[in-house]
Amino acid sequence: MTKILVVDDMPIFRDPIAASLRLAGFETVCASNGQEALAATKAHRPALVLLDVSMPVMDGLACLRAIRADPEIAKTPIILFTALSDKQHVMEARKLGVQEYLLKSSFSLKDLLVRVLKYTGKPEKPAALKAEQAPAPVSPTQPTAKPSSERPIAPAPAAPPAASPDALPRLLTREQCLARAEKALAAKTLSGAVAEVISLAASPRGSAADVAPLIARDPMLSARVLQAANSAAYVSARPVVSTIPDAVRQIGLATVRSIAAALGIFDAMPPSQADGFNPVRCWQHSFAVAMLCERLVPKDSGIADAGLCYLVGLCHDLGEILFHTHFGKEYAQVIELHQRTGRRVEDLERQMLGVTRGELVQTIIASVGLPEAIKEPIRSFHDGSGQASSAPTPLTRVLRIAEMYANGLVLASSGHSPVAPFTRAECRAALGREEPKPPDPTMFRSEVFYTTGVLARVSSDEAEGVMRPQYERTTARIFVVREAGLSSFDPVVAALETMAHVRVVDRPAAVEVNACDGVVVLSPSDLAPGLSGQVISELAAARGPGGRATRALWLVGRINGMTQRGAPVAPQRWPVRLDELAAFVQGCVAPGEVRGAAA
């Protein structure tokens, strides 16, 4: 197998590169300084060395000189990483025969792979393996001959051809899944400087003068902050920023915090997946939840400080993100079989992977090197099947509301994301008030889109697709009948307002049938006073504009089974998926009028 040496003293930069190269079919060896790199080059004779410049013990240029001075390894191709744009370093590296150099602040893993293939050719073992052939770690019950932290272990044999159409391929065992998750994520953590910057930038006592020295300790973080400060969004007629304190003052502590979080957590995100996973949408959702957690937590409540709330919101989906990173190929087969057969996803997960996605997410959360104060509310947020816990902690209650409201603002990771209203009692218990003030949706989305745009470094074509709402606004006119026990801080209404013209009323009699194309009824149960099945069926039977029947959607918290069978409108338990809500709205659009299309 083609071997590549990855050299960097920062695990948060080195490990994602090594993991991506292994997924592409290469074998990797890692070193944390030039001295280790020189020894590894002699011992392993790699086909290519990816070499950082700024390192302790022996820096990259000293290592490069030593490699070029040794006749046995002098011709080894080398790509230099640097957080510096100093021409002197670049010119010296060229004189020493470096093949290429890449600025840490601007390269992408996709671009890196193109350059790697240029010097190594395709790996002997390509990445495009079938999922049942994909490398899997040895389970604790398997023999461990020739173990290696950098070399994928041979997978368990694929299941034999099924004699029955109901037979399913066994891709991994439960033990293999758990071992892979624990092994792959054991070293994932926030670097000290990044964690300190996030915490201090979120603190009301934080200042540019306090944060700048912390940023300067991390060359990669420094480069990214300077890059953001000099981006077109900030520069305009201003001079180029060349110092960290000036950069922090230019972009503000909130953006600095977001940059640090992205660098520490999200830079190794996988590409879009067959099951609908979109990394940039996931960034948007994570930042939206983090910002809402920070704003919604009651002041002086004793739950947590703003910085901790922000990090809990930011990391709450980290298990899902890393699940896609390490189990994406296998899970694509699960989804394909679900779509083809209609069988329950959870049943397919257990039979094909030996474990459910929710259980794996819990293992991933436990394995990631985050502080316990962040892990604990996230673990409480998910139970073994990935659903919301029935006994949440105080911070978890805030997280659940922020998660659902971010979906309602259509800042969701996918169209499968759920929305549901909150009761006044839920809001009071979690947030200390029954009617929290919602953020201005336009301003809030713009802030999230901007933050993601600065950090994601997507192409212009990609940006056009993900830096806009997931659903276009239609001409439909929707009345929402919301039972009095439900809070006006309402994710369902927030989502509908992005898709249609909405008017909220508290009783069916206030619905002007002649002025609406659809009615959405929200009630805690199907036995709510004044909101019986008969009343809602009468609304649906009324004729709206142009004599068309009025479409109705009845969402309830629980169903008591008292609704008459065959009624025109049956209650549906919330939450409802965004895609389902959008389909209802589009069905309300009058013929010949504009239908919004999902992005």
Side-chain angles (χ1 to χ4, degrees), residues 13-45:
F13 186 77
R14 181 183 68 234
D15 292 348
I17 291 175
S20 299
L21 291 172
R22 289 195 295 274
L23 287 174
F26 294 97
E27 181 180 353
T28 62
V29 178
C30 293
S32 60
N33 59 60
Q35 195 172 81
E36 291 179 7
L38 183 58
T41 304
K42 293 178 180 179
H44 296 279
R45 301 299 173 92

Side-chain angles (χ1 to χ4, degrees), residues 341-359:
T341 66
R343 298 179 64 168
R344 291 178 70 240
V345 171
E346 187 171 317
D347 293 340
L348 293 174
E349 291 168 350
R350 288 194 183 280
Q351 294 184 55
M352 298 172 72
L353 304 177
V355 64
T356 67
R357 171 175 172 167
E359 290 168 336

Side-chain angles (χ1 to χ4, degrees), residues 168-413:
L168 295 171
R170 168 70 74 166
L171 305 180
L172 296 168
T173 66
R174 176 186 179 87
E175 290 76 16
Q176 285 175 324
C177 282
L178 296 179
R180 181 189 291 187
E182 291 170 357
K183 181 178 179 181
L185 303 171
K188 296 289 183 185
T189 185
L190 291 174
S191 72
V194 169
E196 287 183 66
V197 168
I198 293 172
S199 177
L200 188 57
S203 170
R205 297 180 296 276
S207 68
D210 297 326
V211 171
L214 292 175
I215 295 173
R217 286 165 42 189
D218 189 314
M220 194 171 173
L221 180 56
S222 299
R224 190 70 65 82
V225 168
L226 286 169
Q227 180 190 23
N230 287 300
S231 68
Y234 286 109
V235 174
S236 60
R238 299 174 183 174
V240 172
V241 176
S242 58
T243 69
I244 296 299
D246 287 345
V248 174
R249 284 190 288 270
Q250 183 99 301
I251 63 179
L253 290 179
T255 301
V256 166
R257 178 183 58 186
S258 297
I259 291 171
L263 184 63
I265 298 171
F266 295 108
D267 265 7
M269 271 195 188
S272 298
Q273 300 288 321
D275 63 349
F277 177 82
N278 182 302
V280 180
R281 291 286 187 204
C282 197
W283 278 42
Q284 292 173 345
H285 178 68
S286 295
F287 281 121
V289 174
M291 290 158 59
L292 285 168
C293 278
E294 183 180 35
R295 297 180 189 188
L296 290 174
V297 69
K299 301 295 185 290
D300 303 321
S301 64
I303 293 177
D305 62 39
L308 179 61
C309 294
Y310 182 90
L311 282 173
V312 167
L314 189 71
C315 298
H316 82 287
D317 265 350
L318 193 54
E320 289 284 348
I321 294 165
L322 295 174
F323 171 84
H324 283 280
T325 306
H326 297 284
F327 295 91
K329 290 184 174 65
E330 290 86 355
Y331 202 66
Q333 289 198 55
V334 173
I335 295 300
E336 189 275 330
L337 270 174
H338 163 68
Q339 293 171 342
R340 182 156 50 86
T341 66
R343 298 179 64 168
R344 291 178 70 240
V345 171
E346 187 171 317
D347 293 340
L348 293 174
E349 291 168 350
R350 288 194 183 280
Q351 294 184 55
M352 298 172 72
L353 304 177
V355 64
T356 67
R357 171 175 172 167
E359 290 168 336
L360 264 178
V361 166
Q362 285 283 34
T363 300
I364 290 170
I365 292 169
S367 300
V368 175
L370 293 173
E372 191 61 29
I374 297 174
K375 283 186 186 180
E376 193 274 333
I378 295 174
R379 280 199 296 261
S380 178
F381 179 74
H382 296 285
D383 66 13
S385 58
Q387 301 299 316
S389 169
S390 58
T393 65
L395 185 49
T396 303
R397 291 193 184 99
V398 177
L399 175 59
R400 287 179 60 179
I401 288 179
E403 154 84 11
M404 192 69 73
Y405 202 80
N407 291 342
L409 291 170
V410 197
L411 292 166
S413 55

